[in-house]
């Protein structure tokens, strides 16, 4: 009986240690990851989660930023004076260390709306076969997320999502309208372009109105 009790105690201690170790690790939202594009000439927020009171240090280009996780385990820093260029790496250090690679600084555009925006290049591959087969522009990138619905709480992060280059492997997944818009801008200004594809075909227009604004329309609220 004593042996069994000691074993249970050891298991509980180990479990608590593992939970504590896991909770201490800095975590990032899906939008902040390898291949991301950051907006130039703006205050850019980098954020995530950690243990309450945990100190986080971020090294990016020639600057160092420091912050501390609040009581909810949330933290953020603002990057400033970013000029177009890259690729760069970002180091995030706390109880654990993370490195984000292949970061570009340029112009970021949100591509939201319904099917006209969500319509992919793969859907018109017969019209743009040559372009799709030979495309390889690492300075045009898309973050694609499939929007989800939750009527019970505000989500902290996207359920899925990652950054993809505009190359022959990924280009079929890019929004067609967004891609040709990005291609035009890149050819004119030679600045990296990031597209955040948050479109959903068949969604209602009311679903894209902010919660605060739609309060003026009780029937839709």
């Amino acid at each position: 009986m004593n042996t069994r009790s000691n074993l249970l105690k050891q298991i509980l201690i180990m479990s608590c240690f593992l939970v504590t170790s896991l909770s201490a690790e800095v975590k990032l939202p899906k939008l902040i990851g390898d291949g991301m594009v950051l907006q130039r000439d703006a205050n850019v927020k980098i954020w995530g989660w950690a243990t309450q009171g945990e100190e986080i240090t971020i090294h990016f280009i020639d600057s160092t930023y420091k912050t501390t996780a609040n009581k909810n385990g949330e933290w953020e820093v603002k990057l400033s004076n970013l000029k177009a260029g890259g690729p760069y790496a970002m180091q995030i250090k706390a109880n654990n260390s993370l490195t984000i690679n292949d970061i570009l600084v340029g112009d970021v555009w949100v591509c939201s709306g319904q099917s006209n925006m969500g319509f992919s290049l793969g859907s018109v591959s017969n019209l743009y076969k040559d372009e799709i087969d030979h495309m390889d522009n690492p300075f045009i990138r898309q973050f694609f997320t499939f929007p989800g619905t939750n009527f019970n709480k505000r989500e902290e992060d996207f359920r899925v999502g990652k950054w993809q280059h505009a190359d022959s492997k990924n280009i079929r997944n890019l929004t067609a309208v967004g891609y040709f818009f990005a291609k035009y801008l890149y050819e004119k200004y030679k600045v990296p372009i990031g597209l955040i594809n948050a479109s959903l075909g068949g969604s209602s227009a009311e679903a894209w109105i902010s919660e605060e604004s739609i309060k003026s329309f009780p029937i839709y609220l």
Side-chain angles (χ1 to χ4, degrees):
M1 192 71 178
N2 288 335
T3 303
R4 204 176 278 179
S5 297
N6 288 334
L7 181 61
L8 285 172
K9 286 180 181 178
Q10 291 176 13
I11 292 172
L12 285 170
I13 291 171
M14 289 176 65
S15 299
C16 290
F17 175 77
L18 286 171
V19 169
T20 302
S21 300
L22 288 171
S23 65
E25 291 189 355
V26 167
K27 294 187 295 183
L28 300 171
K30 293 178 178 60
L31 187 61
I32 300 175
D34 291 347
M36 68 178 175
V37 183
L38 301 179
Q39 178 61 45
R40 59 176 172 157
D41 302 324
N43 289 323
V44 178
K45 184 172 81 169
I46 302 295
W47 77 99
W49 304 273
T51 300
Q52 176 184 348
E54 188 171 355
E55 295 183 354
I56 297 97
T57 301
I58 296 177
H59 300 284
F60 185 57
I61 309 180
D62 296 321
S63 298
T64 299
Y65 309 81
K66 294 187 177 183
T67 188
T68 302
N70 65 20
K71 63 180 181 179
N72 297 318
E74 303 164 339
W75 60 266
E76 68 175 64
V77 298
K78 293 286 182 68
L79 312 184
S80 58
N81 299 318
L82 301 180
K83 301 303 177 185
Y88 303 110
M90 178 184 294
Q91 286 80 38
I92 301 175
K93 296 182 179 180
N95 289 339
N96 62 314
S97 296
L98 300 173
T99 300
I100 306 172
N101 295 303
D102 193 25
I103 301 169
L104 297 179
V105 177
D107 289 333
V108 182
W109 298 85
V110 177
C111 305
S112 68
Q114 303 164 314
S115 54
N116 286 345
M117 184 63 75
F119 201 69
S120 68
L121 272 170
S123 300
V124 289
S125 57
N126 58 322
L127 298 176
Y128 301 101
K129 186 179 186 305
D130 188 64
E131 177 139 16
I132 290 173
D133 290 343
H134 298 95
M135 169 51 60
D136 186 16
N137 189 337
F139 297 103
I140 296 178
R141 302 177 180 185
Q142 172 186 261
F143 178 87
F144 176 75
T145 181
F146 188 81
T149 301
N150 190 335
F151 293 106
N152 298 312
K153 65 175 183 178
R154 188 183 298 274
E155 297 282 5
E156 289 186 330
D157 193 9
F158 296 116
R159 298 178 186 181
V160 295
K162 65 178 181 178
W163 286 94
Q164 296 178 321
H165 293 198
D167 55 29
S168 56
K169 177 183 176 182
N170 298 311
I171 196 170
R172 292 174 181 272
N173 299 321
L174 269 66
T175 157
V177 170
Y179 166 72
F180 286 112
F181 172 72
K183 180 185 176 184
Y184 169 80
L185 290 178
Y186 181 77
E187 289 177 349
K188 184 173 183 178
Y189 300 109
K190 301 302 181 187
V191 170
I193 302 294
L195 304 174
I196 299 178
N197 186 353
S199 57
L200 183 60
S203 54
S204 64
E206 294 82 7
W208 295 97
I209 300 174
S210 70
E211 181 180 358
E212 193 61 35
S213 297
I214 207 169
K215 287 179 180 179
S216 301
F217 307 92
I219 188 172
Y220 297 122
L221 178 65

